[in-house]
Amino acid sequence: MDKLRIDKWLWAARFYKTRSLASEEITKGRVEVNGLEAKPSREVKVGDTVQLRREAVVRTVVVKGLSATRGAAQVAQQLYEETPDSLRAREQAAEQRRLAPEPALAIEHGRPTKRGRRELDQAQGGWGDRWSASADE
């Protein structure tokens, strides 16, 4: 086998869980082959450089082998070699995420529950401190 579709290769090399996911990412423009934006039907061969973007991290790999079937992770890792620049960039991005986590991740999901609302009200002094327009008082 001399050439293989890029979507099939990305799936076999375990960059994406399904081939349709790989095709979707390629059509979104997140994958380049030899510096050119790729289409899912683009064929890759040994020696090509593939650059893919995932979660703000850009990985650059050199194709070392071709496989039309998805195998074990150890076999998949032999299909490519990551460039030293790409490895450094990934390590720096991981270090940056570790040191400065995303602020939005600290926010709890959604509105508070009834119990959470009561706890907030108690912590803020309860309803007694609030002005009311009711005639009871």
Side-chain angles (χ1 to χ4, degrees):
M1 172 180 333
D2 294 339
K3 295 180 180 180
L4 185 69
R5 288 174 57 113
I6 183 71
D7 60 343
K8 203 171 211 181
W9 185 82
L10 287 170
W11 167 75
R14 293 184 165 259
F15 286 107
Y16 298 103
K17 195 171 186 177
T18 63
R19 192 167 158 196
S20 60
L21 253 177
S23 293
E24 189 177 312
E25 293 295 305
I26 293 167
T27 54
K28 288 180 181 177
R30 296 181 180 154
V31 177
E32 293 180 359
V33 178
N34 295 329
L36 302 172
E37 193 172 307
K39 293 182 181 179
S41 62
R42 167 82 188 245
E43 292 185 335
V44 292
K45 58 187 181 302
V46 175
D48 283 349
T49 303
V50 178
Q51 186 175 25
L52 53 117
R53 236 179 328 140
R54 270 186 100 171
E55 301 167 2
V57 177
V58 179
R59 292 181 75 175
T60 306
V61 296
V62 177
V63 178
K64 291 291 181 187
L66 301 175
S67 175
T69 58
R70 187 177 170 105
Q74 290 86 6
V75 175
Q77 288 175 349
Q78 294 175 356
L79 296 178
Y80 63 91
E81 180 183 342
E82 194 164 1
T83 62
D85 293 337
S86 177
L87 284 171
R88 268 195 303 280
R90 270 198 318 138
E91 288 171 1
Q92 287 175 351
E95 183 71 15
Q96 187 175 8
R97 281 192 308 271
R98 188 181 68 80
L99 293 175
E102 177 67 32
L105 295 177
I107 299 173
E108 292 186 17
H109 298 0
R111 295 170 53 181
T113 60
K114 191 172 187 177
R115 172 186 270 171
R117 184 87 216 130
R118 287 179 179 161
E119 289 171 356
L120 281 172
D121 287 341
Q122 276 185 340
Q124 294 173 355
W127 287 92
D129 297 353
R130 299 182 75 182
W131 177 82
S132 175
S134 65
D136 306 16
E137 296 181 31

